[in-house]
Amino acid sequence: MNKIAQKAYDIALPIAESMGLEIWDVEYLKEAGQWFLRVYIDKAEGVSINDCEDFSKAMSPALDEADPIESSYVFEVSSAGAERELKRPSDFERFMGSFVEVRLYKARDGQKTLTGHLCSYNEDGTVTIKSGDEEIAFPKGSYSAVKLRIEF
């Protein structure tokens, strides 16, 4: 998380907690020449559009007061989504056993994306999934992302 995203996270956290929400992630990035500050929220029973709107209305004045971003930007609030990326050790612990997609930097057996059920996440960042009858370990640095997937 970059410095601006961290400042926004620090502003967002108490607001989210007071509303019964969790901050899943905060991004501050440039897309097509425009800067975006995105806050992804979550809660156990799922996030509604009203949750996003209410959080945005509560967060906007706090951002204006703290003024952590000098230039203009677009502020967006979104649900973390059903197929969210797992980033922190706590994310992996929370979704242990869930169906995930692992995106690789280099193809493995001709594939750059593998799916299976999350078996483990080690302190060194190694992710292990069970795909069919096989357990496959991916050392940190071999994968670019691990995302929840909806199983059909």
Side-chain angles (χ1 to χ4, degrees):
M1 193 177 297
N2 63 38
K3 288 181 183 181
I4 291 176
Q6 184 61 54
K7 286 179 186 178
Y9 175 86
D10 294 341
I11 295 165
L13 186 60
I15 296 167
E17 288 176 345
S18 74
M19 299 174 77
L21 300 168
E22 173 187 348
I23 300 297
W24 182 262
D25 197 12
V26 178
E27 297 177 331
Y28 180 67
L29 46 89
K30 193 172 193 175
E31 292 179 355
Q34 179 79 34
W35 284 97
F36 288 84
L37 175 64
R38 292 192 181 110
V39 178
Y40 297 92
I41 59 175
D42 195 23
K43 68 179 182 181
E45 56 276 8
V47 173
S48 70
I49 189 72
N50 291 333
D51 292 322
C52 293
E53 182 180 2
D54 293 344
F55 180 79
S56 179
K57 286 179 181 176
M59 179 80 174
S60 287
L63 280 171
D64 290 344
E65 184 178 323
D67 199 21
I69 305 170
E70 293 178 14
S71 60
S72 65
Y73 63 95
V74 176
F75 174 53
E76 297 179 345
V77 176
S78 178
S79 160
E83 292 189 334
R84 67 191 67 179
E85 185 174 352
L86 305 180
K87 295 183 177 183
R88 299 171 295 271
S90 60
D91 300 343
F92 288 92
E93 290 170 22
R94 178 176 172 182
F95 292 101
M96 198 59 60
S98 297
F99 192 65
V100 297
E101 170 186 278
V102 181
R103 294 182 182 171
L104 304 173
Y105 288 114
K106 288 177 61 177
R108 182 177 186 153
D109 297 327
Q111 295 183 308
K112 287 189 80 172
T113 302
L114 293 147
T115 58
H117 290 88
L118 183 61
C119 293
S120 67
Y121 178 82
N122 297 335
E123 289 178 17
D124 66 1
T126 299
V127 172
T128 304
I129 65 168
K130 185 168 187 173
S131 183
D133 292 332
E134 182 183 10
E135 284 195 8
I136 309 167
F138 304 95
K140 185 175 183 162
S142 68
Y143 58 89
S144 61
V146 177
K147 295 179 74 172
L148 293 177
R149 288 296 307 262
I150 297 174
E151 236 178 327
F152 292 101

